[in-house]
Amino acid sequence: MIRVELSKLLRSRRTWTTVLLIDALPTLVGVLLAVTDLGPRPGEGPAFLSAVLTDGTLFPLAALAIVLPLFLPIAVSVTAGEAIAGEAAAGTLRYVLVRPVGRLRLLVAKLVAAMAFVVLTVLVVAATAYVVGVTLLGDQSVQVVGSTSVSGTSLSTPELVGRTFLALGYAMLCMLGVAAIALFLSTVASSSLGAALGTMSIFVGSSLLLTLDASEAIRDYLPTRYWLAFVDLFRDPILWRDLQAGVILQGTYVAVFFAAAWANFATKDVTE
Amino acid sequence: MTPLRRWSLVALVAALVILAPLLPRLLPASASDVTAAELLSRVQTSGERAYSGYVETDGAVQLAVGDDFSDLAELFGDRMRLRVWWQDEDAWRVNRLLLSGEEDLVHDGERTTSYDYERARAVTSRDPEIRLPRTSDLVPPSMGRITTDGAGAEEVSRLPARRIAGVSAPGLRLEPTSEQTTIDHVDLWVDEDTGLALRVEVYAGASSTPVLTTAFREFSAAAPEPAQVADTWSGQVERDFDDTVDLADAANQYAPFRVPRRVAGLERRTAGNGAVGVYGTGVTRLIAVPLREGDADDLRESLLGSPAAVATDAGTLLAVGPVSVFLTSEGFSYVLAGTVTDETLLRAAEDIVAGVRLRGRFE
Amino acid sequence: MSGDTAIRTQGLTKYFGRFEAVSDLSLDVREGDVYGFLGANGSGKTTTVRMLLGLVLATSGEIEVLGRPMPRSGREVLPHVGSMIEGPAAYAHLSGRANLTLFDAMAPRSRRTGRKDRVEETLDRVGLGGVDERPVKNYSLGMRQRLGLAAALLRRPRLLVLDEPTNGLDPQGIRDIRALLLELNADGTTIFVSSHLLTEIEQLCTRVGVLDRGRMVVQEQLAVLRAPTGRILLGTPEPGAALAHLDRLGRSVEQHDDRRLAVRAPDAAQLNAELVRAGIGVDELSVERRSLEDVVLAATSGGNDTFARPSRDVQDAS
């Protein structure tokens, strides 16, 4: 079933359109930066963006910071929100279930497919951004080996690559949390739009609550709390505190919401 | 499995993962029979102790003091996340974590280098005689020493121990006897072995919530690796040297004034005869800094932007929580600020205006 | 094989909230049957079909499909069941071929080898063998119906459960499907067809169950339901003479108009001989059977999608 879901994902024109749309924004930002040479003022704009003018190899991270707060979670909400509700609306859910495909197996396959979408998108964004960063950005006249960490120390190229992949992995995990929430809502809502909007309102609401002092008590439980903690990988030494908390938090969200999806879907009447 | 059982299972898992992180807080702190006076002296003499850790601060003093002092406003009015590696007074690094960058202070002997990731710049300056507060003053051990400076045994009492960053820390309450301070009391929880304050809460007036809290979330009393406190910036960081650390230092060095030895009954803390004066001890403290006309006008405008500001013939007064700021309007502009009562600050301002002497260029 | 039950339910009941969709239903479908499940729209047919396939969970009652309890044994039972529920459905952006390939791959323990052949063969069976790679969203209603049937037939099921299988087909298509189903049945496939079209059931089925407002009102062999009524329908150019002659013979004529008579008589041949002997011409003669429509109308209480207001006028008039 997982293979079926993956094949459906890769053959859907919408998947590729979404990936390209998400990819377009950081690419546009990169091109504009290269043409105008106007970086954001220090302390403003997404993480790493002010640094890419001198070091193009950091652009994949800047691109990640651009798409992670909004674009990527929206795309994941839509994709995962469609998982059950979309099949139900198209009428194919009943045919899938009488194949028979076990309900738990279907949920797992849907989550894996959503994850595959995230991996695909993140890798495409990172790869495009790397190409843009290296060819258009960066100050090629200064030949410096390696890059600079957020703490100002030197990072060798292997270190930079390793940490970049850790950051990509971390971002993917955060999106898995979103996918699990969307999957749960997809078993509840009768339309995939409802599931997607529900998921979006959860992470937009969470981002809003994070800015309020009054929400102090629940801060550390909010799903978006540690999303941008991948920046900590580029400090020297690496600050593991938030990353660890983020991994545990996202793992918890995945576990709880996937369990809830299962609890709701296992005996749900399929009447569409 | 019935739906009820399944949902019960989900609820159980959810409850477990919500409660699990709360469990360590239930671990009781072990009581300690160290006396208040003993604990106080350990805090006051903890300067050479090594440590490292992760600190969170939370300030509630919203100072409306304009762009020139915005760093200061952040220090006392915002949340900050700090990493600190402290070998001794001469070698330390305090690393302020920002969402998408960081600011470092690296101290080496008599020089401090401040690094800003977003600007990709590291600026070194020699340690000044007088400077404004900075992040390294907000780490709990520094705060502990600053607030208890000059405090006597009659001003402190013991509080029950609390677990701070995993360490069972006996508590100490400082209730200043001075009538001039706006600080009601300061609560400290201290690592008993080293005397390092692990958590400091500053209270003003009758409020039950602190105006400033600084506490370790992770703490180690082991000496940090030498590499952690060395400055090792990469070649892409622009290096620079600055004669002055901040506005107060600049004024102290270059303004042609000399402040009096004592204002409002408070002694000057610094021996030098510069244009800037720091007066008082512990939590009864104020600073007087001369401003250039343009800077003074900007500051006056900022102060008057706050509805709490009071303008008199002598100057403009703004009290925010425990901090009072007064900007004189006669002759030369001095700004005075401190954790002292309004009367004390106004008296101090009169004394400054009356007592400032012009300094000869080659004096 | 024949005689074993293919589907059996006992006391099957389903509530949606407080609405009782299916009430104490006992189905009995034997292997080899072509079973017609009749009922007006909204009578609970589809809910029943969904319960048989484990899509909707019964509030109470037992279901057995191919001798195993459902939905508990769905993993073992469903691979042998092909189904079409409430119209066909497919992934609209893919071709019919791609859809069948996906559906084939979904099934547990489905093998990749021979998948292409299975798909082509099934497409041939439903008359879509020559279809191009256009996506399903460009299919006509009839093509979709055929594709849905193909998906049901993909794994050579022992039991076919079809809900309104000829919906949207033209007369030729209906005939094709009927022929296909009869052929499958001849090969041993049990077929369970639910429909609201009486003629369709009448032409196809060997056994009939009639559902009315969630309750089974009739369940019988079609041949039994359509037993002779004991009357003979007679056409004659001289109805007056025929009427008079039959009256003399003591036969009761229950209905007549200016061309035809309905006569209560056990034997058509004998009746014919009596009339011909009397010199009365007979140009039409047939044994009257009850139509399925009569049976259904007699057993049910009218459409299930009408909700007539309890009439006040009637009470006033009485």
Side-chain angles (χ1 to χ4, degrees):
Chain A
M1 191 60 206
I2 290 175
R3 205 176 310 152
V4 171
E5 284 301 328
L6 292 183
S7 127
K8 261 163 58 189
L9 179 77
L10 295 180
R11 276 152 85 174
S12 160
R13 192 182 305 158
R14 215 188 53 194
T15 306
W16 295 102
T17 316
T18 315
V19 170
L20 289 181
L21 279 178
I22 293 176
D23 197 30
L25 180 70
T27 308
L28 180 65
V29 170
V31 171
L32 287 178
L33 282 181
V35 172
T36 62
D37 217 27
L38 286 172
R41 286 218 319 235
E44 288 174 9
F48 300 108
L49 204 56
S50 57
V52 298
L53 283 178
T54 48
D55 187 357
T57 52
L58 284 174
F59 193 54
L61 291 166
L64 195 64
I66 290 171
V67 297
L68 193 62
L70 198 61
F71 268 44
L72 201 50
I74 285 179
V76 173
S77 306
V78 171
T79 307
E82 199 161 57
I84 302 298
E87 295 257 6
T92 42
L93 179 60
R94 52 180 188 262
Y95 291 110
V96 170
L97 291 179
V98 300
R99 254 315 98 185
V101 175
R103 295 189 179 202
L104 184 58
R105 215 155 67 96
L106 180 62
L107 288 176
V108 172
K110 289 293 184 185
L111 195 62
V112 170
M115 206 49 226
F117 171 75
V118 172
V119 172
L120 180 75
T121 315
V122 168
L123 289 183
V124 169
V125 167
T128 328
Y130 181 78
V131 174
V132 170
V134 169
T135 55
L136 298 178
L137 295 167
D139 198 345
Q140 259 72 36
S141 61
V142 190
Q143 282 301 323
V144 193
V145 179
S147 296
T148 304
S149 74
V150 173
S151 305
T153 53
S154 300
L155 282 182
S156 67
T157 304
E159 271 180 318
L160 179 69
V161 170
R163 292 183 187 199
T164 301
F165 273 97
L166 273 179
L168 296 184
Y170 181 78
M172 291 170 191
L173 180 69
C174 291
M175 290 304 104
L176 184 62
V178 176
I181 295 175
L183 183 68
F184 166 65
L185 290 179
S186 187
T187 67
V188 177
S190 53
S191 83
S192 39
L193 187 67
L197 286 178
T199 314
M200 285 179 220
S201 57
I202 285 178
F203 69 78
V204 170
S206 163
S207 308
L208 182 96
L209 284 176
L210 281 178
T211 63
L212 288 181
D213 285 344
S215 59
E216 176 74 23
I218 55 166
R219 260 174 90 76
D220 291 348
Y221 294 104
L222 294 172
T224 61
R225 169 72 172 87
Y226 300 109
W227 271 12
L228 292 176
F230 71 87
V231 175
D232 293 350
L233 282 167
F234 298 88
R235 304 188 193 277
D236 192 26
I238 296 176
L239 176 67
W240 289 109
R241 194 186 157 77
D242 282 7
L243 288 162
Q244 273 169 2
V247 168
I248 293 171
L249 184 74
Q250 295 304 325
T252 304
Y253 266 93
V254 172
V256 169
F257 277 88
F258 187 78
W262 163 74
N264 181 47
F265 189 55
T267 48
K268 195 189 183 199
D269 284 339
V270 177
T271 52
E272 289 88 1
Chain B
M1 226 186 302
T2 64
L4 182 66
R5 276 209 203 148
R6 275 200 309 273
W7 279 110
S8 313
L9 189 68
V10 173
L12 189 71
V13 170
L16 274 181
V17 294
I18 289 169
L19 294 177
L22 301 178
L23 286 182
R25 296 191 200 173
L26 300 178
L27 207 64
S30 47
S32 162
D33 50 11
V34 64
T35 63
E38 171 62 21
L39 206 53
L40 175 67
S41 86
R42 283 190 206 175
V43 171
Q44 287 168 331
T45 57
S46 62
E48 291 304 313
R49 295 287 190 164
Y51 64 89
S52 59
Y54 171 82
V55 174
E56 285 180 6
T57 74
D58 186 2
V61 186
Q62 307 292 340
L63 292 170
V65 286
D67 290 344
D68 290 339
F69 297 95
S70 64
D71 289 351
L72 214 54
E74 266 180 47
L75 218 52
F76 296 110
D78 272 356
R79 287 163 191 281
M80 288 195 301
R81 303 189 302 146
L82 306 171
R83 286 197 290 180
V84 49
W85 295 270
W86 199 285
Q87 213 154 47
D88 52 45
E89 290 280 17
D90 283 337
W92 47 256
R93 171 180 168 205
V94 174
N95 170 206
R96 180 178 174 196
L97 303 166
L98 303 170
L99 205 56
S100 58
E102 57 187 59
E103 290 168 8
D104 271 62
L105 282 180
V106 176
H107 189 77
D108 173 19
E110 305 205 310
R111 300 185 315 153
T112 306
T113 305
S114 99
Y115 163 75
D116 183 340
Y117 169 72
E118 303 281 6
R119 288 179 175 79
R121 249 183 87 171
V123 181
T124 306
S125 31
R126 51 141 202 84
D127 277 351
E129 184 186 19
I130 287 176
R131 57 168 175 79
L132 297 174
R134 57 189 183 192
T135 52
S136 57
D137 297 325
L138 252 73
V139 295
S142 303
M143 270 304 274
R145 287 194 291 275
I146 292 168
T147 51
T148 59
D149 162 59
E154 74 287 351
E155 291 178 301
V156 290
S157 55
R158 275 295 313 278
L159 289 173
R162 264 177 78 174
R163 203 163 269 282
I164 311 289
V167 178
S168 176
L172 182 72
R173 172 164 293 182
L174 168 75
E175 286 169 292
T177 47
S178 160
E179 295 287 315
Q180 289 178 299
T181 182
T182 51
I183 302 300
D184 184 67
H185 65 274
V186 180
D187 289 349
L188 305 98
W189 285 268
V190 183
D191 179 36
E192 203 177 329
D193 297 337
T194 60
L196 293 167
L198 301 181
R199 182 183 179 93
V200 180
E201 295 175 355
V202 180
Y203 292 83
S207 170
S208 62
T209 52
V211 290
L212 182 68
T213 305
T214 171
F216 280 105
R217 302 288 169 174
E218 284 168 22
F219 172 76
S220 161
E225 297 281 319
Q228 296 296 0
V229 292
D231 64 357
T232 51
W233 284 288
S234 84
Q236 284 168 323
V237 174
E238 184 190 335
R239 304 298 304 260
D240 219 338
F241 191 89
D242 201 342
D243 290 344
T244 56
V245 174
D246 56 32
L247 202 134
D249 182 27
N252 194 37
Q253 289 186 50
Y254 299 118
F257 306 119
R258 199 163 58 195
V259 287
R261 283 175 52 100
R262 148 193 284 271
V263 294
L266 300 171
E267 293 292 331
R268 197 171 72 201
R269 291 179 63 85
T270 42
N273 50 4
V276 176
V278 176
Y279 299 88
T281 58
V283 293
T284 316
R285 230 183 252 240
L286 69 89
I287 185 171
V289 183
L291 294 181
R292 281 181 299 212
E293 218 166 297
D295 293 341
D297 290 344
D298 287 347
L299 178 61
R300 190 170 291 116
E301 204 173 303
S302 302
L303 291 175
L304 288 172
S306 165
V310 182
T312 66
D313 287 346
T316 312
L317 176 73
L318 175 66
V320 183
V323 178
S324 308
V325 181
F326 184 75
L327 178 62
T328 63
S329 57
E330 282 172 27
F332 30 64
S333 297
Y334 256 86
V335 60
L336 291 89
T339 52
V340 292
T341 57
D342 293 352
E343 305 89 85
T344 306
L345 200 66
L346 292 175
R347 258 179 64 206
E350 282 168 24
D351 292 348
I352 291 275
V353 170
V356 160
R357 296 284 171 267
L358 268 175
R359 186 164 63 164
R361 193 168 174 78
F362 301 104
E363 197 179 344
Chain C
M1 281 286 256
S2 104
D4 288 352
T5 54
I7 300 173
R8 185 163 61 199
T9 70
Q10 245 159 17
L12 191 60
T13 303
K14 176 67 187 180
Y15 280 91
F16 288 114
R18 291 177 58 192
F19 169 67
E20 190 178 31
V22 174
S23 169
D24 194 26
L25 185 75
S26 296
L27 266 178
D28 179 23
V29 181
R30 312 220 173 104
E31 289 217 19
D33 275 356
V34 179
Y35 187 99
F37 193 43
L38 263 175
N41 289 327
S43 59
K45 283 187 318 255
T46 299
T47 302
T48 309
V49 168
R50 283 174 184 272
M51 283 194 285
L52 297 180
L53 298 171
L55 292 173
V56 167
L57 301 180
T59 308
S60 64
E62 306 281 319
I63 305 172
E64 226 175 66
V65 177
L66 297 175
R68 308 286 300 265
M70 277 297 286
R72 210 173 327 133
S73 302
R75 254 185 97 72
E76 292 83 48
V77 171
L78 290 175
H80 302 289
V81 180
S83 54
M84 196 155 79
I85 314 125
E86 259 192 314
Y91 300 108
H93 61 284
L94 299 175
S95 71
R97 219 167 245 113
N99 264 290
L100 288 188
T101 310
L102 279 183
F103 278 121
D104 188 76
M106 279 176 199
R109 293 183 295 279
S110 166
R111 295 184 160 270
R112 192 187 275 265
T113 49
R115 179 169 297 156
K116 201 165 159 20
D117 293 342
R118 277 201 296 277
V119 169
E120 291 304 326
E121 188 189 305
T122 318
L123 282 173
D124 281 337
R125 281 208 113 151
V126 298
L128 287 177
V131 77
D132 50 21
E133 294 302 313
R134 79 180 94 157
V136 170
K137 61 173 176 246
N138 297 339
Y139 275 26
S140 68
L141 196 55
M143 286 171 79
R144 285 173 201 225
Q145 197 76 12
R146 285 168 190 262
L147 183 66
L149 197 61
L153 294 177
L154 201 52
R155 304 203 69 199
R156 302 182 159 278
R158 279 167 61 195
L159 170 66
L160 261 182
V161 177
L162 305 173
D163 197 9
E164 313 278 2
T166 57
N167 213 3
L169 290 178
D170 54 25
Q172 180 61 40
I174 294 175
R175 192 193 287 187
D176 289 351
I177 297 297
R178 195 190 306 143
L180 173 63
L181 293 182
L182 290 175
E183 183 193 321
L184 287 167
N185 182 244
D187 291 345
T189 309
T190 309
I191 295 175
F192 179 96
V193 185
S194 95
S195 178
H196 67 283
L197 298 174
L198 294 163
T199 45
E200 183 172 302
I201 297 291
E202 209 164 8
Q203 286 166 344
L204 195 66
C205 298
T206 53
R207 262 166 71 79
V208 175
V210 180
L211 198 63
D212 179 46
R213 296 184 191 239
R215 290 171 191 279
M216 184 73 101
V217 287
V218 174
Q219 181 167 242
E220 193 49 88
Q221 297 285 339
L222 187 64
V224 174
L225 291 177
R226 299 210 49 208
T229 55
R231 300 199 307 186
I232 289 162
L233 298 179
L234 181 73
T236 170
E238 306 154 83
L243 206 56
H245 183 67
L246 289 171
D247 200 31
R248 262 197 305 284
L249 289 173
R251 298 216 182 267
S252 95
V253 177
E254 296 184 349
Q255 271 178 317
H256 66 91
D257 54 27
D258 57 355
R259 281 274 316 132
R260 302 171 64 166
L261 296 88
V263 187
R264 186 152 292 281
D267 190 342
Q270 193 195 342
L271 183 65
N272 186 33
E274 284 168 9
L275 287 169
V276 172
R277 214 176 298 140
I280 299 166
V282 173
D283 55 10
E284 209 183 316
L285 191 71
S286 66
V287 174
E288 188 194 60
R289 289 173 184 274
R290 285 206 295 167
S291 74
L292 195 53
E293 190 174 349
D294 298 334
V295 176
V296 170
L297 287 180
T300 61
S301 46
N304 286 329
D305 43 10
T306 59
F307 288 88
R309 196 185 302 280
S311 173
R312 241 255 218 51
D313 302 344
V314 177
Q315 285 178 345
D316 289 346
S318 60

